[in-house]
Amino acid sequence: RDAMADQNKPEEPAGEDKKADQPSPGKPKDFSTAILDRKKAPNRLVVDEAINDENSVVSMNPKTMEELELFRGDTVLLKGKKRKDTVNIVLADDTCEEPKIRMNKVVRKNLRVRLGDVISVHQCTDVKYGKRVHILPIDDTIEGITGNLFETFLKPYFLEAYRPVRKGDLFLVRGGMRSVEFKV
């Protein structure tokens, strides 16, 4: 009987596509959730707070990294507001949502962005190893500190660590129960 019932049903025309899941052109789009929809540019990501407080690392969802053809430990160029950009190492983070990128306060400050802002991520393959880098401390962060700043702060920060830096970047180094800000 079921086979007979199926034969008696009128068939839908082949030319018509079902567009029930897409909003109609006349209906207004819901802007409160629009930012979560995947856009045409997959490299545009929403800034989120980092779990680990690391100056040279950003984390993304593994699916987002796969879409952008990035691998764990790749160097990426992040472009923020006011033509500001910086270089960082990208790591996979399963807890990070797909259209988001996690970074700490130092990286956000260098990009001139806040939480919830949109930045663009680009693969950066031609990062050269620096033979000499000119790094100066920010004056008001070294008040009352005596001794060698290089031995106390910079040497432990850069030694045995791959830390991409960009000219003009600021970064915070903690050491000796104080934190000092430096500029490249």
Side-chain angles (χ1 to χ4, degrees):
R1 277 189 188 186
D2 291 331
M4 292 293 284
D6 288 340
Q7 288 177 349
N8 293 337
K9 279 186 184 174
E11 288 184 21
E12 292 180 24
E16 289 181 24
D17 292 335
K18 289 186 179 179
K19 293 185 180 178
D21 57 339
Q22 296 176 349
S24 63
K27 198 183 285 183
K29 192 174 179 184
D30 184 14
F31 290 110
S32 61
T33 59
I35 197 162
L36 298 174
D37 297 340
R38 282 317 258 160
K39 295 167 286 306
K40 289 175 186 77
N43 66 332
R44 310 267 297 162
L45 300 172
V46 180
V47 175
D48 198 11
E49 178 62 71
I51 296 171
N52 60 341
D53 194 34
E54 184 60 51
N55 294 343
S56 48
V57 170
V58 294
S59 35
M60 285 187 228
N61 188 296
K63 289 179 184 169
T64 310
M65 287 176 62
E66 195 176 304
E67 196 176 334
L68 297 173
E69 297 175 10
L70 297 172
F71 299 99
R72 185 183 178 280
D74 275 2
T75 307
V76 290
L77 176 71
L78 306 173
K79 293 186 178 180
K81 290 187 172 175
K82 299 178 185 164
R83 297 181 66 189
K84 295 292 179 183
D85 54 11
T86 188
V87 283
N88 279 85
I89 299 165
V90 68
L91 293 178
D93 182 4
D94 293 317
T95 60
C96 184
E97 293 172 45
E98 254 188 79
K100 294 192 175 181
I101 182 168
R102 288 190 167 153
M103 58 183 70
N104 77 344
K105 189 177 180 182
V106 173
V107 180
R108 291 196 307 268
K109 190 176 177 185
N110 285 329
L111 291 172
R112 308 296 192 271
V113 293
R114 295 189 177 128
L115 293 173
D117 286 347
V118 177
I119 63 157
S120 63
V121 180
H122 307 275
Q123 196 165 15
C124 199
T125 52
D126 58 342
V127 177
K128 295 172 184 70
Y129 283 91
K131 291 175 183 66
R132 274 184 30 210
V133 185
H134 195 66
I135 297 173
L136 295 172
I138 302 296
D139 195 30
D140 58 351
T141 62
I142 57 165
E143 285 175 2
I145 295 179
T146 55
N148 190 341
L149 289 174
F150 176 76
E151 290 293 330
T152 314
F153 296 98
L154 291 177
K155 193 174 177 184
Y157 182 76
F158 283 105
L159 197 68
E160 301 298 322
Y162 174 63
R163 295 191 185 270
V165 289
R166 186 142 173 97
K167 187 180 178 194
D169 275 2
L170 293 168
F171 61 93
L172 200 68
V173 182
R174 290 174 184 83
M177 300 192 305
R178 292 283 301 267
S179 55
V180 176
E181 201 166 14
F182 292 92
K183 183 171 184 169
V184 182

